[in-house]
Amino acid sequence: GINAEYGDIVNELLRVELLRIEQLNQGWILDGYPRTIQQAETLSHLLEAIKQPLDYVFYIHVANEVVVNRVKDRYVHPASGRIYNLKFNPPRVPFVDDVTGEPIIQREDDKPETVLKRLVEYAEKTQPVINYYKQKDANLFRLIESPTSPIGYKFIQGYIELSLFAKGLIKD
């Protein structure tokens, strides 16, 4: 099917990119990948082939109510894509685009009930990948509790610095 074809394309692009990065002797961070067991297994095979082990697999957990609160006040001007937040970046005139004076709308994807439904689906699809990495090597998996982006970033930064220090790539 079409999803399998896209998966194959992503896997091939990833293979090429990992080989290029290996030649440059750089590290990488994959964001939002892998999303399926098949992708996780393919990634493992690719990394074994180029002798590049994973240092960590981060699962950034943000409570559902935090996610809903981040997007429930987001509105967009459909023609331009300008984004407003009614609390943090409100339009000068409520529900009206600052530039054109046209109405702004809340996308269906940003409505709380839609966000909650998608979060449940995401958790169901993600759990098998989480289990895969926990079973593969419990030391790889790191749960990052991230009530705010700066807090999550600090945890991830700490793990990355620890890894670089252990490899002798950074000093005290």
Side-chain angles (χ1 to χ4, degrees), residues 112-123:
E113 58 277 6
T114 305
V115 173
L116 284 171
K117 180 181 174 202
R118 291 182 66 202
L119 288 169
V120 168
E121 291 171 6
Y122 174 79

Side-chain angles (χ1 to χ4, degrees), residues 29-161:
I29 296 174
L30 301 175
D31 181 6
Y33 185 89
R35 291 180 183 248
T36 66
I37 297 295
Q38 180 184 358
Q39 290 175 343
E41 290 171 346
T42 299
L43 177 61
S44 291
H45 294 306
L46 291 171
L47 293 173
E48 287 170 17
I50 63 172
K51 296 175 179 40
Q52 291 288 317
L54 283 174
D55 291 323
Y56 298 109
V57 172
F58 297 123
Y59 177 70
I60 302 169
H61 178 260
V62 180
N64 287 357
E65 58 272 9
V66 172
V67 175
V68 169
N69 281 331
R70 287 182 185 175
V71 298
K72 72 180 173 79
D73 293 319
R74 183 166 52 190
Y75 281 71
V76 64
H77 177 246
S80 69
R82 271 185 292 284
I83 297 174
Y84 296 91
N85 184 293
L86 300 182
K87 289 184 182 172
F88 305 111
N89 179 34
R92 283 181 242 135
V93 176
F95 303 103
V96 175
D97 180 57
D98 288 345
V99 176
T100 66
E102 297 170 344
I104 59 174
I105 63 164
Q106 185 177 43
R107 294 181 349 188
E108 194 63 37
D109 282 358
D110 292 339
K111 293 182 178 177
E113 58 277 6
T114 305
V115 173
L116 284 171
K117 180 181 174 202
R118 291 182 66 202
L119 288 169
V120 168
E121 291 171 6
Y122 174 79
E124 290 170 357
K125 291 178 181 177
T126 303
Q127 194 59 53
V129 177
I130 291 169
N131 293 342
Y132 171 84
Y133 282 110
K134 283 181 174 179
Q135 291 168 4
K136 183 175 177 67
D137 182 348
N139 293 320
L140 273 180
F141 186 80
R142 298 289 186 264
L143 174 65
I144 305 294
E145 291 292 343
S146 184
T148 67
S149 296
I151 290 172
Y153 174 81
K154 285 288 185 194
F155 280 115
I156 294 169
Q157 181 183 28
Y159 282 119
I160 291 172
E161 288 175 357

